[in-house]
Amino acid sequence: MSAVAGNIARIRSELPAGVTLLAVSKYHPAETLQEAYDAGQRVFGENRVQELLAKQPLLPPDIEWHFIGTLQTNKVKHIAPFIHTVQSVDSPALLKEVDHQAARSRRRLRVLLEIRIAAETSKHGFSPDGCRALFRNRQADACPHVCIGGLMGMASFTDNREQVRQEFRALRTLFDELKPLAGEAFDTLSMGMSGDYPVAVEEGSTLIRVGTSVFGERSIRH
């Protein structure tokens, strides 16, 4: 068993039923992603459009690709034909552009709304109130080629586990509040990465985004 396969098996053994492992594969070559695929991994996340476009044709067609990084509106057209989920929709403008490009690709794309829960100003996302307004004003009704599948958030980068826990808990509370407004397709709460996913799972995450703990340290850093 390869190191990657062993890591995947270990992480999956720790996860409760119903929690999805998304392998964050940025800066890792397609050959390493193939190792994860051969170990049964099917859900992968990329942060950069250019890197995703280079890898996607080299790997099996049944991979479920998620885009999890900051996405510029002018880049949506490049991934719309094949992306499964855009997890990082952080504004009404981006939501509208995903809808537009999904229509051009004759698809209905799944998205998660990114919520800014961290104390760090560098993080992107809707404010909780901004997200509430999107549902209460029924803005998504104007985007028929988009399916809002849930929420995504990143906790503060800190050793303060209690702060991280409170941020995840706040996101779970918002998710539970919005679900009756959003409908049955709203079923994914994406929170937790290599350094904090056990806390995220305890607080109700249904999908964890794990890179280093699956693939090891990246060989290239940008």
Side-chain angles (χ1 to χ4, degrees), residues 100-113:
H100 174 64
Q101 296 300 336
R104 290 188 62 188
S105 298
R106 298 183 179 181
R107 302 184 66 207
R108 189 165 187 249
L109 286 178
R110 187 170 179 270
V111 304
L112 305 184
L113 302 178

Side-chain angles (χ1 to χ4, degrees), residues 90-106:
D90 58 5
S91 69
L94 182 55
L95 183 69
K96 290 177 183 177
E97 182 61 18
V98 173
D99 176 72
H100 174 64
Q101 296 300 336
R104 290 188 62 188
S105 298
R106 298 183 179 181

